Amino acid sequence: MAQNCLKCLKYTMCIVNFLCFMCGTAVFGFGVFLMLNTKVSALIPTLSSLNLANTLFITGIIITCVSFLGFLGALKENRCLLITFFILLFILMLVELTVACLLLVYESKIDRFLKQDLTQSLVNSKESAKGGNSTINKDDWDIIQTTFQCCGIHNTSDWKDKVPKSCCPKSQCGSTEKPVYWNAGCYNKLKVWFEDNFLVTGVGVIVLCIIEVLGMCFSMTLFCHISRSGLGYKL
């Protein structure tokens, strides 16, 4: 009976880690796609290297590598790989919990930081437009303003006399009459969007931590069984 349970545990780990490996590969591929086809990287100049594409790219690599270790360790009943898988999951869970706590504790400071960076990004966009290189930040703001139906940080006055076409509906911008711009600022729109999705994000983090804890429990159980039976690679 015990052997059957351990076999079930072993193959469950293999299947789950294989699925995670495929998901990680998909995330990695999507990150590469965004890196090659989008330019949304300058909305937050201070953290320009941590844009969506790079974040997905790095996340995909981490998921792929960790899940591969778990899959191979369970399949080969390798103690070295299993304990490495356990340690990496533990470190990832600590990092996730630390980041979540920091976001909650320094929420107001992060809010001010993002507001200042968005302001700097808009200034850079206007300066690049004057210099004839309007594509530096233009694509970034066009995507945000079109997606959230907003204009500037607070309103259209942020752009002064250089209001882009993405600040108004396509039906209005294409007309010969004076275009009607969206009144809402992108800062408040983004803030509301994040607040609306805060619960979903929190639930996602909790579910992820539960999966990681289960993965650690499964790997340690299999590790202890291999140690007692004298099987697998010995540390």
Side-chain angles (χ1 to χ4, degrees):
M1 183 66 181
Q3 290 295 327
N4 291 333
C5 290
L6 286 169
K7 283 184 179 180
C8 180
L9 179 64
K10 170 184 173 179
Y11 291 114
T12 300
M13 272 195 68
C14 289
I15 293 170
V16 171
N17 279 291
F18 178 74
L19 292 175
C20 289
F21 179 84
M22 297 303 294
C23 291
T25 304
V27 172
F28 171 80
F30 187 56
V32 173
F33 173 79
L34 290 179
M35 291 172 70
L36 296 175
N37 294 279
T38 64
K39 299 178 181 180
V40 182
S41 59
L43 281 176
I44 306 177
T46 306
L47 301 175
S48 59
S49 59
L50 290 178
N51 55 66
L52 180 60
N54 289 346
T55 302
L56 291 175
F57 180 80
I58 295 170
T59 302
I61 291 176
I62 293 172
I63 294 173
T64 302
C65 293
V66 173
S67 58
F68 179 76
L69 283 176
F71 173 80
L72 196 61
L75 184 66
K76 297 294 184 179
E77 296 187 358
N78 188 305
R79 289 195 296 162
C80 183
L81 293 178
L82 286 172
I83 198 65
T84 304
F85 176 71
F86 176 88
I87 293 170
L88 288 175
L89 280 183
F90 182 71
I91 293 172
L92 285 174
M93 189 176 67
L94 286 181
V95 171
E96 290 160 10
L97 293 175
T98 302
V99 171
C101 291
L102 290 175
L103 288 175
L104 290 173
V105 172
Y106 297 101
E107 182 181 359
S108 58
K109 291 184 179 180
I110 293 172
D111 186 60
R112 289 196 298 270
F113 165 76
L114 291 176
K115 193 172 183 179
Q116 291 172 358
D117 246 29
L118 283 173
T119 303
Q120 184 60 45
S121 172
L122 191 139
V123 171
N124 293 342
S125 182
K126 289 190 289 187
E127 289 178 352
S128 64
K130 290 179 182 178
N133 190 9
S134 60
T135 60
I136 294 179
N137 285 10
K138 183 176 179 297
D139 288 343
D140 305 48
W141 279 100
D142 283 347
I143 292 171
I144 294 297
Q145 290 175 155
T146 304
T147 303
F148 291 93
Q149 297 185 352
C150 56
C151 188
I153 298 172
H154 302 100
N155 49 51
T156 54
S157 63
D158 294 325
W159 289 104
K160 296 182 179 179
D161 57 339
K162 300 289 184 180
V163 182
K165 292 183 179 180
S166 58
C167 273
C168 63
K170 291 183 179 180
S171 59
Q172 293 290 335
C173 287
S175 62
T176 55
E177 300 177 359
K178 185 178 179 180
V180 177
Y181 299 114
W182 286 307
N183 294 321
C186 293
Y187 172 74
N188 288 330
K189 284 270 190 173
L190 288 169
K191 190 174 181 180
V192 170
W193 183 83
F194 279 115
E195 289 174 350
D196 291 341
N197 291 275
F198 183 78
L199 180 61
V200 176
T201 305
V203 171
V205 171
I206 292 172
V207 171
L208 184 60
C209 287
I210 292 173
I211 293 173
E212 288 171 346
V213 169
L214 289 174
M216 288 190 291
C217 293
F218 286 1
S219 62
M220 187 52 65
T221 302
L222 198 56
F223 175 85
C224 293
H225 164 68
I226 296 169
S227 299
R228 285 197 301 268
S229 62
L231 300 173
Y233 179 83
K234 295 183 179 181
L235 289 171

